[in-house]
Amino acid sequence: MNGFLQTIVALCAALLASELLQRLCPEDAAVRFAGGLAALFLLLSAAASLLSLDWDLELSAAPIQRQQDQLSSYVEERYEEAAQQDGESYVQGLLAAAGLQAKEIRVKTDRNAQGSIVMTEVAVRFVYPSEAERARALLSGVLGEEVRITVETGEEETSAA
């Protein structure tokens, strides 16, 4: 770093001397040319000193890690939302295959021990009780016992675990 400071001091001194010569002899082109060459030499010397410096830059990993964590969290949230929407579409398709039309379908998901997203709960609302009973039987048979199924009609609610 000491060499760099010496170069800067020499550059300033040369520029001052060059400017002084130009002010004393404004009409002499040789003096201007010599001053310009000296200034150019000193600028190149300063640039070389800058390039040869040992830059000890330490970047903290904390901001990068924080951004990576935020991005991972955002991606996981979007992935879980997509899984819930996919689950709702799946349940709607099952019901449509049986000729049933639900007023409302809600699907809840969670992560299992392997980290996969699994359907944990399905809530369906129907207009007619007969549709609700058929839907509960269909969903219980297809989704299995691991998924909690809630079927509602108007004010009533029937559940199957």
Side-chain angles (χ1 to χ4, degrees), residues 60-110:
S60 174
I64 296 170
Q65 184 64 37
R66 187 173 47 248
Q67 286 178 346
Q68 184 178 9
D69 292 343
Q70 289 173 345
L71 180 61
S72 295
S73 174
Y74 175 77
V75 168
E76 285 181 21
E77 287 174 11
R78 297 291 87 73
Y79 187 62
E80 288 184 21
E81 286 176 10
Q84 285 181 345
Q85 290 175 354
D86 193 38
E88 290 173 4
S89 296
Y90 175 73
V91 170
Q92 185 176 15
L94 279 175
L95 296 173
L100 300 170
Q101 178 74 29
K103 282 176 49 177
E104 180 182 0
I105 299 172
R106 292 184 315 269
V107 173
K108 291 187 180 178
T109 59
D110 198 6

Side-chain angles (χ1 to χ4, degrees), residues 118-133:
V118 294
M119 193 179 305
T120 58
E121 185 177 342
V122 174
V124 187
R125 182 182 301 269
F126 287 95
V127 175
Y128 303 108
S130 61
E131 288 181 326
E133 289 302 316

